[in-house]
Amino acid sequence: SQQGEEDPQALSIQEGENATMNCSYKTSINNLQWYRQNSGRGLVHLILIRSNEREKHSGRLRVTLDTSKKSSSLLITASRAADTASYFCATDNNQGGKLIFGQGTELSVKP
Amino acid sequence: GAGVSQTPSNKVTEKGKYVELRCDPISGHTALYWYRQSLGQGPEFLIYFQGTGAADDSGLPNDRFFAVRPEGSVSTLKIQRTERGDSAVYLCASSFNPGNTIYFGEGSWLTVV
């Protein structure tokens, strides 16, 4: 069963704009991880944020975590056509490190 | 190896046949995970190994699915009497320890015809 829900399911923006994707989950977590997946390829790890952290940055990526609202957001700044992919959030619910994934957000960045 | 390696990358098999999918995790990673992903969906957890033992196999859909990791490194996912509904991408992942970053392989695309 899926734990998280991503919002929106699909997002289309112009190159240079910012893209924001949201993730909500149901149970308490140890950490939350964001992944990217190009069509037909494996998952690429983007960033991990622990339950005691509120915000993390990595290059053009900014992730926030609000454990009181059980939600996270991924912001991609100054998007590029190469950012076009599906983005998934996944939660580690302290069950041996296994991740529970959401359905993903399909991002399309138009040049 | 540098990353998680999965073989075969593609497998087409006939309904009712037996299939083995292999995963070679990142060297030194103790935790190994198998997931299944259908088109348009997020990955679904199947089974997790810590060392040689299956620590959590709650995601295996039925007894046609089985996985082993006899020496604590390479793992094999085995599917008996395949059905068309088993068609999906089977993803393997590993992490140094539970709770750390989990790294995924490119997946094995299984098509049952």
Side-chain angles (χ1 to χ4, degrees), chain A residues 31-35 43-48 50 90-93 95-101, chain B residues 4 26 29 31-35 45 48 91-105:
Chain A
N31 65 63
L32 185 147
Q33 304 186 34
W34 283 91
Y35 288 84
L43 291 152
V44 175
H45 183 263
L46 295 177
I47 200 161
L48 179 154
R50 300 199 180 277
T91 53
D92 173 353
N93 306 339
Q95 296 176 29
K98 77 182 187 189
L99 295 176
I100 306 297
F101 282 81
Chain B
V4 178
I26 294 172
H29 280 196
L32 184 146
Y33 308 84
W34 283 99
Y35 285 79
F45 171 77
Y48 145 59
L91 295 163
C92 179
S94 70
S95 68
F96 183 69
N97 270 323
N100 293 119
T101 299
I102 296 180
Y103 297 93
F104 282 79

